[in-house]
Amino acid sequence: MSGCPFARNNYLFNFNRLSLEDEKDDKSQEGINKASKGGLVYGDYLQLNKILNAQELQSEKKGNKIHDEHLFIVTHQAYELWFKQILWEMDSVRVIFQNGHVRDERNMLKVITRMNRISMILKLLVEQFSILETMTALDFFDFRYYLSPASGFQSLQFRLLENKIGVPQSLRVPYNRRHYRDNFKGQDYELLLQSEQEPTLLQLVEAWLERTPGLDAKGFDFWGQFEVNVLKGLEEEFALLQAKPESEEKDDLLSEFQKQKDVLLSLFDEKRHEHLLSKGERRLSYKALKGALMIYFYREEPRFQIPFQLLTSLMDIDVLMTKWRYNHVCMVHRMIGSKAGTGGSSGYHYLRSTVSDRYKVFVDLFNLSTFLVPRHWIPKMNPTIHKFLYTAEYCDSSYFSSDDSD
């Protein structure tokens, strides 16, 4: 048999049923056009008239319209809109922490959701550089002259974001040997000053970590038990190494053991921690660091799963902010080489100096992995301690508060 196997009558489909002429059974057309009766419409709700007419090409104003300037403007406007959303989410999270509502697990889920939303936005912003990079350096050069003295450094919202997260003022890289705030005036200057005086996300998380149940010496005393277990574990490891026959391998193992021992014992040296804190090499208080490490070790316990997710989301934000800075540096280097920035900075060289741990706010959380130990060194929890951990925070009256956390 030859020909199309679907040519028989029993395979034929009645395409007339799809005809627009047969509208009686067309469920897709049963809606009502409510907009025809007046009221709020899409364009008015989003104020698209303002947004879509906010692209004013400087090159066109100077009589030399450059096509790619439109892309440059739209991309940066999109960045600023997303910065606004990040600040909106960040402020709401800070309010939950400030009002003490974070003790309520229901609000912790809200915090996690909003922090993850910030991460998703930052991922989008990191990728957005690829759109700008469809423009060549020569394309940018065609209209770059018209932008001076405007500069990305003048982004008020990005500077506010840095302050509200908790970038230490003492660790900021000076901008042309001046304080970053000196590049802003009037209301913008006042907003930046105010943001520096408000509790940062870092400070609020620090206070929350200090309340981690199980740190109190009168309760579980995690830290005291952990120190005892570490000392015992180190002694046992040293004894095992000493029992090995003399060899070059043994010498190497003993050398590595001593390094690891110094690292672990430094964890219990509060004065050393305070010294590193004063130098800006650590961000969290000693007690907050204890709380973070406890959450890290017991992350599989239901009581600590949500707190661990929060710590992870904070690190995600730090990573993405660093990636954003790095992509920005690479793009600027590609576009202008080693030329000065339009705002007067050293351009690429200045931006490169901001891609470091000094701008990483939650660096202590990354360093927790430095203090990993074998699982059997971690203090065990008995049923009594389990019960204590699951009720410790809930005894606080704020848990029963009916106030809206928003």
Side-chain angles (χ1 to χ4, degrees):
M1 182 177 179
S2 61
C4 177
F6 301 104
R8 298 178 186 176
N9 291 335
N10 57 323
Y11 284 105
L12 289 177
F13 183 79
N14 186 3
F15 285 97
N16 288 331
R17 293 182 62 187
L18 297 180
S19 174
L20 291 177
E21 296 176 1
D22 185 12
E23 295 182 351
K24 292 181 180 180
D25 298 324
D26 190 356
K27 301 295 184 182
S28 69
Q29 301 300 312
E30 290 184 358
I32 300 173
N33 184 9
K34 293 183 179 182
S36 63
K37 299 179 181 180
L40 186 66
V41 294
Y42 180 82
D44 293 341
Y45 175 64
L46 297 179
Q47 299 192 51
L48 294 181
N49 188 50
K50 294 180 181 178
I51 296 173
L52 300 181
N53 288 287
Q55 295 74 43
E56 190 176 76
L57 279 63
Q58 292 300 305
S59 59
E60 186 175 20
K61 289 177 68 177
K62 299 296 193 301
N64 183 30
K65 183 179 178 180
I66 304 299
H67 176 85
D68 280 0
E69 188 183 356
H70 191 276
L71 171 68
F72 187 82
I73 293 173
V74 167
T75 305
H76 283 79
Q77 287 176 337
Y79 270 124
E80 291 296 332
L81 282 172
W82 282 123
F83 289 158
K84 184 173 185 177
Q85 185 63 36
I86 291 174
L87 288 170
W88 178 263
E89 304 294 347
M90 183 74 64
D91 285 341
S92 73
V93 168
R94 288 165 63 237
V95 166
I96 292 174
F97 272 101
Q98 282 180 277
N99 292 345
H101 293 292
V102 75
R103 290 184 175 91
D104 186 337
E105 293 289 320
R106 293 166 295 184
N107 284 325
M108 280 298 293
L109 287 172
K110 190 181 293 183
V111 167
I112 296 295
T113 298
R114 293 175 185 178
M115 296 303 289
N116 286 338
R117 184 178 293 162
I118 291 173
S119 291
M120 293 303 294
I121 294 171
L122 286 171
K123 285 180 182 179
L124 178 65
L125 299 189
V126 167
E127 292 300 320
Q128 195 166 288
F129 282 105
S130 60
I131 300 173
L132 272 179
E133 288 171 348
T134 61
M135 177 174 60
T136 68
L138 186 58
D139 294 332
F140 181 50
F141 183 80
D142 287 340
F143 65 88
R144 182 174 182 258
Y145 171 79
Y146 300 116
L147 308 182
S148 185
S151 165
F153 184 86
Q154 298 157 7
S155 171
L156 171 66
Q157 291 194 119
F158 192 76
R159 303 280 87 87
L160 287 172
L161 177 58
E162 290 176 328
N163 288 345
K164 293 186 178 192
I165 290 178
V167 171
Q169 300 302 316
S170 59
L171 296 182
R172 278 187 176 276
V173 178
Y175 186 79
N176 292 346
R177 298 186 176 85
R178 297 174 63 190
H179 191 278
Y180 86 99
R181 210 186 319 115
D182 292 341
N183 293 275
F184 296 85
K185 297 179 180 179
Q187 185 180 3
D188 289 354
Y189 183 95
E190 295 301 322
L191 284 172
L192 288 169
L193 187 60
Q194 179 184 336
S195 69
E196 291 176 18
Q197 297 166 350
E198 295 173 352
T200 66
L201 182 62
L202 172 64
Q203 292 169 335
L204 294 166
V205 168
E206 177 184 66
W208 168 72
L209 286 170
E210 289 174 348
R211 297 195 303 270
T212 302
L215 291 180
D216 197 329
K218 296 178 182 179
F220 179 42
D221 189 21
F222 159 72
W223 202 248
Q225 291 192 59
F226 181 53
E227 183 175 6
V228 170
N229 288 6
V230 168
L231 291 172
K232 181 182 177 181
L234 288 172
E235 288 178 3
E236 292 173 351
E237 281 199 1
F238 182 69
L240 289 172
L241 289 174
Q242 285 289 71
K244 290 180 178 290
E246 295 299 325
S247 65
E248 187 175 338
E249 181 187 6
K250 177 182 177 179
D251 292 339
D252 290 341
L253 290 173
L254 284 170
S255 177
E256 286 301 313
F257 168 80
Q258 187 59 48
K259 292 176 183 177
Q260 181 63 9
K261 179 181 178 181
D262 291 342
V263 168
L264 290 175
L265 292 183
S266 72
L267 190 58
F268 306 103
D269 187 346
E270 187 171 355
K271 289 184 177 179
R272 182 176 182 276
H273 179 90
E274 294 300 327
H275 175 66
L276 293 174
L277 199 61
S278 67
K279 291 173 62 180
E281 293 182 23
R282 286 193 180 165
R283 306 282 197 274
L284 296 171
S285 69
Y286 191 54
K287 190 172 183 180
L289 184 67
K290 294 179 185 179
L293 196 60
M294 185 175 181
I295 291 170
Y296 198 84
F297 281 146
Y298 297 104
R299 60 191 177 276
E300 294 174 356
E301 291 286 336
R303 181 64 185 83
F304 291 113
Q305 286 175 5
I306 292 178
F308 180 70
Q309 287 179 45
L310 175 58
L311 299 188
T312 301
S313 69
L314 293 171
M315 288 190 285
D316 288 343
I317 288 173
D318 250 343
V319 167
L320 290 164
M321 290 284 285
T322 302
K323 285 183 177 180
W324 190 91
R325 292 180 193 278
Y326 178 75
N327 281 14
H328 188 203
V329 170
C330 291
M331 186 196 69
V332 167
H333 201 194
R334 174 185 293 194
M335 293 296 182
I336 68 171
S338 298
K339 293 177 184 176
T342 51
S345 74
S346 56
Y348 162 72
H349 296 290
Y350 167 76
L351 292 172
R352 188 179 63 181
S353 69
T354 67
V355 184
S356 67
D357 281 355
R358 64 196 299 162
Y359 279 86
K360 194 180 287 184
V361 177
F362 297 98
V363 65
D364 290 347
L365 301 182
F366 290 86
N367 289 332
L368 291 178
S369 298
T370 308
F371 308 109
L372 288 179
V373 296
R375 286 182 184 267
H376 65 275
W377 290 17
I378 301 171
K380 297 293 187 294
M381 292 184 181
N382 58 40
T384 303
I385 294 302
H386 270 282
K387 183 178 180 180
F388 164 73
L389 290 176
Y390 282 86
T391 59
E393 285 282 83
Y394 302 151
C395 292
D396 193 288
S397 61
S398 65
Y399 177 76
F400 302 99
S401 172
S402 61
D403 295 342
D404 187 356
S405 64
D406 284 333

